[in-house]
Amino acid sequence: MTSEWGEKSTADLMSRYASKEMGQGVPKEGWRICLAHEFKEKRKPFQAKDVSLSNVVDHIGLGIRYLKWWYKKTQVEKKAPFIDMFRALPLRQIYGAPLGGIGGGTITRGWRGEFCRWQLNPGMYHYKTVIANQFTVCLRRGGQTVYQQVLSVERPPTLQGWNWGYCGEYAFYHALYPRAWTVYQLPGQNVTLTCRQISPVIPHDYQDSSLPAAVFVWDIENKNDYALDVSIMFTMVNGSGHKDDKSGGHWNEPFHLEKDGEAVSGVLLHHCTATNPYTLCIAAREQADREVSHQTAFSPKGTCSGLWSDLITDGRLDSPTGSSPPTQKGEKVAAALAVSCSVPALKLNSLEFCLAWDMPRITFGSGEREHVRRYARYFGDKGDASPSLSHYALTHYKQWEKSIEEWQRPILQDSSLPPWYKSALFNELYFVADGGTVWTELSEDADISGGVRSEDGGLPAQPALVKEYGRFAYLEGQEYRMYNTYDVHFYASFALIMLWPKLALSVQYDIAGTVVQQDPTERLHLMNGRYSPVKTKNVVPHDIGDPDDEPWQRLNAYLIHDTADWKDLNLKFVLQVYRDFHLTQDSQYLRDMWPICQAVMESELKFDQDGDGLIENSGYADQTYDGWTVTGPSAYCGGMWLASLCVMCKMARLVDSEEAYRRYKDLLERGSAAFDKLLWNGKYYNYDSSGRALSNSIMSDQCAGHWFLRASGLEKEAYQAFPKEKIRRALKSVFDLNVMSFSEGHMGAVNGMRPEGVPDHSSVQSDEVWIGVVYGLAATMIHEGMLEEGMRTAEGCYRTVWERLGMAFQTPEAYCERNIYRSLAYMRPLSVWAMQLALDTSQRDNTVLAKTGDSGDNGEIKT
């Protein structure tokens, strides 16, 4: 199922690899690249200057209002805009798998080994390669050092007392998140190193998955006929390359911790900022046949030849006692840890390191409230947990790996699945941890109900599930700084509900509590230039806030549109409620959500202006495609409205509300007839029903409502709302036109396509490819038995992002056919897990059908 062009692009990433060494324990599946590889295509981010002339004319008021707001934000308030249209992130084709678990901050290590992307302050990213953060190898024979090399291809202008410039043609990187491997052949030494990086991201685990730690295991193969003594040195700067590294007052100290018969030692790097102070920790296990040594403090500037000479002399560091003095303003300080072992001739040995960081109590940008991270439940919130964290990681990482392998094995061993898909499925999960993610305890005074309690049709102040599993938030994107952007979470949520369902339900409780809230504060909305309330009652918010402000307290950081006028946010809430119930069978959750679902559906009914059971649109009718003008009922919102009525009927029966069932059933029957009459054109559902020149564009996401019904196990109900033959025909039209007629079928599905086979250029978004939408479309195709088409559709996006454009571990929201991409490191591509749900569901359905002998043509599954 892998195409020829796919095989070629995979080979290109390794074309410069000059060695035959394949390392220790590196899996076949994943994303692999030679350290000498250079990506040929260099794309630029979409910025305000890229808006077409016709769109500039249409949105000139928006542009002027945004510019005024941007100037005030950046020049007066001295804050970063939640979306910066003038200073988008440039593409750096360097990123690898991030380090750390979920919600405690992340440090990303590039595929060439650099420590280059930092998210320690919650939700706020810092993109800086700290060149002194390195691994160095020292080989000794007969008491003499014969080779010492920084394992980096860089040749920096600083630290010139170190031996830089490792030849990248002798190394490759391989990622299968949450693990990654780097294999180095040491030229002329007959030695191969394999560095295995392990982060505790483990499905259905709500303890270890929260830990801010990662382990590096170095496997050393000695292919000589004589023994070698091998040392690996890990150097780390106290900080993240941010200007506060020089703010003064930072200090380091060595530590030793013995517990349960295991000893760990290393260096603590205390970063003493006024806001969100933290401690970095580099550590190693003490074992009888390993020697651990350290250098508490060194200055990471100048030649730094003293540290290099210290290691080269005897393969170990001086290990001074006592802490370093606090740094003076303008100074930086770093630390080093070395571990040594003997490797017999023609044998293998290994060394282990841990990197941990401890920032248990956090404040967001406003500084108004303090929050406690999830991992502090197990390791305390005093800021002294780094030794315990590193000890725990080094003594439990083997269990982490066992759990990870048990989870991934059935998919990796499934020969019917193409290799690119296995890489996409696991590697796109990076965003669960590296999406500016926070996972916090529910504070004792928190009330998530919005002030409306269960007895009045609301929620408990502290639902048991949220109290037990905490609150979870992740950004729309690293460049689009809004937490739990709900229309995008609709797609991404498949990863959470399948792998960490308690976190998915926690998000739903948080959103449900905001529905009944209202904030009458008037503010300017940039699209229409009108003032309207920040939050309207019985409307799902766009997001729960900006990490540079106070999330959970101030909603709707997105101020482009007035979200009260959007139809899809409420519908997406209802659809997720039932899907989540279907996958978890949590009846308490369903009972809690039922009155909230009724409230949001009532607020939607105001859009059924002609009483035909189908909601209508005007202007920017939905949040997901908020740049695409809609008039009248549309395929996207209309389809989700019908799907929502389907699940309301289903939930009404489950909660024994016959009156509600009859009401929603009547709306569904009338709405389905109107939807079909107004939008079906014989080949697909028109974009909208306005009859204007572009209303018959083919929208790739036109079957989104049907997709969610199938994902919720409602096959029979789905075909009653959307006839099977019409869904199949619509999907075939999308495949033929949006996929195969766009860039020769090699880039996924363009959002909008004209019937004559050219992209719809009517808006900024219509001629983009949205990776997360494409994965959802592929899942819909798989549900409908179009496996080959679904895989071909999704493969185009994976190949483009990961193999052609160099966007590994920063999958964007969108790219155009040429030149432009938009919003790096985006939430929506987590929807690749919807494909896995579709595959699992199809496999189960086929098993049932095989047992019963039923053809399944009537849309029913006999059990």
Side-chain angles (χ1 to χ4, degrees), residues 65-117:
R65 286 185 290 272
Y66 178 84
L67 181 58
K68 288 180 177 178
W69 173 83
W70 181 89
Y71 182 85
K72 179 183 177 185
K73 194 77 175 174
T74 59
Q75 305 304 309
V76 179
E77 298 177 15
K78 303 297 183 184
K79 288 224 167 191
F82 70 94
I83 296 177
D84 195 332
M85 290 295 294
F86 297 108
R87 296 186 295 205
L89 280 179
L91 176 61
R92 300 173 72 203
Q93 297 165 315
I94 65 173
Y95 295 114
L99 302 165
I102 300 171
T106 45
I107 300 171
T108 296
R109 192 162 175 250
W111 51 268
R112 290 191 178 101
E114 60 270 69
F115 290 78
C116 52
R117 184 169 67 194

Side-chain angles (χ1 to χ4, degrees), residues 420-421 423-425 427-429 491-492 494 700-701 707 748-749 769-783 790-802 811-812 815 826-836 838:
W420 69 262
Y421 170 76
S423 175
L425 188 68
N427 284 325
E428 290 289 8
L429 269 180
Y491 296 82
F494 281 88
S700 65
D701 210 9
W707 162 43
V769 176
W770 290 5
I771 296 89
V773 165
V774 171
Y775 287 151
L777 168 62
T780 314
M781 291 176 172
I782 293 167
H783 279 298
M791 285 295 182
R792 174 64 187 259
T793 298
E795 182 181 2
C797 281
Y798 174 82
R799 301 288 187 194
T800 300
V801 169
W802 289 78
T811 303
Y815 54 74
Y826 200 74
M827 177 199 291
R828 202 186 320 257
L830 285 171
S831 62
V832 68
W833 278 86
M835 293 178 66
Q836 188 59 35

